[in-house]
Amino acid sequence: MDFESKIISREISQILWEIEKTVGTAESCTGGRIAEALISTPGASKYFKGGVVSYVDEIKERLLAVDPQLIEEQTAVCEDVARQMVAGACKTLNTDFAIAATGFAGPTGGTKEIPVGTIWLACGTPEKQVTLKVEEDHGRDINLAIATNKAMQMFLDFLKEEIGYVEEVKKY
């Protein structure tokens, strides 16, 4: 894991400690790397409950409640599947937040329509998710590192936005 992920992990840790909320992961192509980044900060057991590595569609459907028809119509590498993975992870892991990744890290697996390097990231709650599409192919290892860093940064930004909202509510 790189230095950038550790810095982001520390910021996420501080926020989750402050707001006393929990997070889990639902990872396909990243295979647990996002979970690894989240637990790199000591004390992570206070806010990180666990993760589901759903490398195949069957696990996305059974453990994360991703709609099989959605996968059939759009493939597992799409924005809506990433969103459903977040909601499913929150329910399965009983967490406030979740981070999800689904894509083709390479070197194989891509198609003409969805080439290698395409990775959909999502984070949020069952009711509200934000997404990001990673599209460049830099080789498997770099693709996975980029996806992990972007997922962590996206979640940090999401948390900061949520805290801003919570702080506004507390003022009244």
Side-chain angles (χ1 to χ4, degrees):
M1 178 188 336
D2 67 22
F3 187 66
E4 182 181 355
S5 283
K6 287 189 179 198
I7 292 171
I8 296 168
S9 177
R10 186 159 299 173
E11 285 187 73
I12 289 170
S13 172
Q14 289 172 343
I15 292 170
L16 291 174
W17 269 79
E18 279 181 32
I19 64 175
E20 297 181 346
K21 300 288 184 181
T22 58
V23 66
T25 58
E27 301 183 64
S28 185
C29 61
T30 51
R33 285 169 179 81
I34 297 168
E36 178 187 20
L38 285 168
I39 62 132
S40 69
T41 302
S45 61
K46 179 168 169 58
Y47 55 85
F48 180 74
K49 285 186 147 186
V52 174
V53 176
S54 55
Y55 214 66
V56 296
D57 295 346
E58 172 194 2
I59 302 304
K60 289 176 186 72
E61 295 165 9
R62 285 196 0 203
L63 296 183
L64 300 172
V66 173
D67 182 356
Q69 188 172 349
L70 174 64
I71 292 174
E72 185 178 320
E73 291 172 2
Q74 297 185 35
T75 80
V77 183
C78 71
E79 182 178 25
D80 290 337
V81 166
R83 286 179 181 278
Q84 287 188 8
M85 288 171 69
V86 166
C90 287
K91 183 177 179 187
T92 297
L93 301 169
N94 191 30
T95 60
D96 300 296
F97 304 107
I99 307 170
T102 182
F104 295 126
T108 61
T111 65
K112 186 175 182 177
E113 296 80 21
I114 307 171
V116 167
T118 303
I119 300 172
W120 275 101
L121 306 170
C123 69
T125 67
E127 299 79 27
K128 178 183 178 185
Q129 306 92 35
V130 294
T131 61
L132 176 68
K133 184 180 185 183
V134 177
E135 296 186 81
E136 293 183 26
D137 182 15
H138 301 281
R140 183 177 184 81
D141 291 340
I142 294 173
N143 291 347
L144 293 172
I146 289 170
T148 300
N149 282 342
K150 287 188 179 287
M152 294 288 286
Q153 186 63 57
M154 178 177 59
F155 183 56
L156 177 59
D157 293 343
F158 180 85
L159 282 177
K160 286 180 177 178
E161 184 177 308
E162 290 297 296
I163 283 182
Y165 174 75
V166 170
E167 288 173 354
E168 288 297 317
V169 171
K170 287 181 180 177
K171 288 181 183 177
Y172 297 104

